[in-house]
Amino acid sequence: MIQHTDHFHGSDLEKIEKAMGIKKEEIISFSANVNPLGLSWELKHFLSEHLDVLTSYPDREYTKLRKAIGSYIHCNPEHIIVGNGATELISLFLDALNPKKALIIGPTYSEYEREISLSGGTVHYYFTKEENNFQLDMADFLKEAEQEYDLVILCNPNNPTSTTLTGKELTFLLDRLSRQHACLMVDETYAEFVENEADVSAVSLVSQFDNLLVLRGTSKFFAAPGLRLGYGITGSSRLLSLIREHKNPWTINSIAELAGCFMFQDQPFIKATRQLMEQERDFVCKRLSAIDGLTVYPTTCNFVLVKIEKEGKDADLLFEHCIKKKLMIRNCSSFPTLSNKYFRICFMKHEDNLALIKAIEEVMD
């Protein structure tokens, strides 16, 4: 049996290829949380006709790109910073904030802790509880948040639990944090997959709260992780000034700049993605809930967290069974407080979802 000490991620297809002898191109990844529609055909066609853009430097200020993003998220372009994926933006924000004591709401993505540690800050966690379906208990959380933290980090919707806070809850949280001069960083990587995105997004609050930072990207919804195009939003003029002062020029290449200007206006692709997610989210969750021995947690975006309750069955066994069928799930044992009884899958095309459900049924039988 495969030893999961490496905790395969959705980007670890090379490791899987080496370990299993399966060509990575043949693997259907239910682990990466990337839009199953792939790159928009219209975007591919557009880029193929504009490759000469590589002969010029991008606009140093990325004015047109920031305007396209601003129109897409209904935000002032002056509040937007573009970066080489979320990783660069997290680094830039943390360098500007220089947090000494940060509180991360978990279980969640590990990169936050790494970046804070590299910047010299200390990290503490507030873990949501399984008995609450991993939904944040706001009153209990605020008791912890009052312990002189200067930064709170929230992934909304959260990875891997798919839980969300509403705009009303975010407003309440921001108001409380502002009183103690603490900032809130909200990672909205998966917000566009939510059926009512405006109900959960914090973007509309940046003009109201200068202690708010919002992170977004193009890797998941627009199926472009290789583009490395991310963007951050904040209404804090001080932070914007600090970030622009320290940010290296041209970290977004000409192709990524051009692609961004196009993709945020690609309404047919955006509409098709949301329709697919709505249909497949409902279908997959209903089918999984009908399998004896599985607990399917409520989901709001493009993936779902599942717990294996049956004795003698776990995510290690399920991973090995599925990968032999060239289907890759996410064993969640690397997330703090979760174990190899938990796995996460994203919603793919209907025929692929059917194949995975069948494989899960075989293991759970």
Side-chain angles (χ1 to χ4, degrees):
M1 180 179 288
I2 295 174
Q3 297 300 309
H4 289 271
T5 53
D6 285 337
H7 304 297
F8 293 114
H9 295 189
S11 59
D12 288 340
L13 296 182
E14 288 80 7
K15 290 182 181 179
I16 295 292
E17 185 176 52
K18 184 178 179 180
M20 299 295 296
I22 302 172
K23 292 181 179 180
K24 63 181 182 180
E25 294 80 10
E26 298 176 357
I27 298 172
I28 300 171
S29 179
F30 289 83
S31 174
N33 295 342
V34 172
N35 187 338
L37 294 181
L39 278 180
S40 159
W41 184 90
E42 287 81 2
L43 175 61
K44 292 179 186 179
H45 180 69
F46 176 76
L47 292 178
S48 71
E49 293 190 330
H50 293 83
L51 290 178
D52 284 346
V53 73
L54 289 171
T55 63
S56 303
Y57 281 96
D59 166 22
R60 192 182 183 107
E61 302 299 323
Y62 297 103
T63 304
K64 187 176 180 181
L65 175 58
R66 289 188 295 107
K67 283 183 177 179
I69 295 170
S71 295
Y72 176 63
I73 61 174
H74 309 293
C75 177
N76 185 344
E78 293 302 314
H79 292 161
I80 297 169
I81 294 280
V82 294
N84 192 253
T87 303
E88 184 195 13
L89 291 165
I90 291 170
S91 263
L92 286 169
F93 280 143
L94 292 177
D95 285 346
L97 288 170
N98 191 27
K100 301 303 179 186
K101 186 179 178 183
L103 180 61
I104 300 174
I105 301 173
T108 196
Y109 181 53
S110 62
E111 193 65 24
Y112 312 131
E113 178 178 357
R114 175 182 175 276
E115 290 292 335
I116 292 168
S117 298
L118 287 173
S119 69
T122 59
V123 177
H124 300 259
Y125 277 92
Y126 176 91
F127 291 108
T128 55
K129 297 177 175 60
E130 179 185 1
E131 55 265 33
N132 294 334
N133 287 331
F134 298 102
Q135 192 66 46
L136 184 69
D137 181 331
M138 184 66 75
D140 186 62
F141 170 72
L142 287 173
K143 294 176 185 176
E144 175 62 30
E146 290 171 355
Q147 304 304 309
E148 298 184 352
Y149 293 101
D150 43 18
L151 174 65
V152 172
I153 298 180
L154 165 71
C155 186
N156 193 52
N158 184 51
N159 175 20
T161 61
S162 189
T163 49
T164 57
L165 293 185
T166 65
K168 184 177 180 180
E169 289 171 318
L170 289 167
T171 301
F172 179 74
L173 177 57
L174 281 161
D175 181 62
R176 291 291 295 268
L177 292 176
S178 66
R179 297 180 196 177
Q180 59 197 65
H181 307 290
C183 287
L184 176 66
M185 180 186 291
V186 183
D187 184 343
E188 292 192 353
T189 295
Y190 301 102
E192 290 143 296
F193 290 106
V194 178
E195 186 174 354
N196 297 308
E197 178 188 347
D199 292 343
V200 303
S201 177
V203 171
S204 64
L205 302 175
V206 295
S207 58
Q208 183 179 347
F209 295 96
D210 64 3
N211 62 327
L212 171 63
L213 311 168
V214 182
L215 297 173
R216 285 193 167 210
T218 58
S219 295
K220 307 301 184 180
F221 189 82
F222 290 100
L227 201 63
R228 307 311 306 138
L229 174 59
Y231 55 102
I233 311 103
T234 180
S236 169
S237 57
R238 181 183 69 85
L239 283 177
L240 287 167
S241 178
L242 283 170
I243 291 168
R244 287 168 180 154
E245 181 181 340
H246 291 96
K247 189 179 186 301
N248 290 325
W250 302 306
T251 57
I252 303 298
N253 64 57
S254 298
I255 288 291
E257 178 188 30
L258 188 67
C261 290
F262 183 92
M263 63 173 49
F264 294 116
Q265 302 175 62
D266 191 354
Q267 289 302 319
F269 178 82
I270 292 168
K271 184 178 180 180
T273 297
R274 289 177 172 156
Q275 286 178 338
L276 177 66
M277 284 301 111
E278 184 178 351
Q279 292 166 4
E280 293 306 306
R281 179 167 50 231
D282 184 62
F283 170 75
V284 172
C285 290
K286 282 182 177 178
R287 288 291 299 269
L288 289 177
S289 297
I291 299 175
D292 184 46
L294 294 183
T295 295
V296 180
Y297 294 98
T299 178
T300 58
C301 57
N302 66 318
F303 57 83
V304 62
L305 180 68
V306 183
K307 185 179 183 182
I308 300 172
E309 306 280 7
K310 186 172 287 189
E311 188 175 349
K313 312 287 186 179
D314 58 33
D316 295 326
L317 181 66
L318 181 60
F319 181 95
E320 184 169 7
H321 181 79
C322 289
I323 201 61
K324 288 177 180 177
K325 296 177 179 290
K326 302 177 183 178
L327 308 170
M328 183 177 174
I329 67 165
R330 177 67 155 91
N331 182 331
C332 289
S333 57
S334 63
F335 288 97
T337 74
L338 301 185
S339 68
N340 70 349
K341 286 290 187 177
Y342 295 87
F343 66 94
R344 186 200 69 205
I345 60 169
C346 62
F347 308 121
M348 303 294 283
K349 293 180 180 178
H350 189 71
E351 60 271 22
D352 296 329
N353 291 331
L354 281 171
L356 180 64
I357 290 167
K358 182 180 178 181
I360 294 171
E361 288 173 338
E362 289 168 353
V363 171
M364 296 302 296
D365 188 15

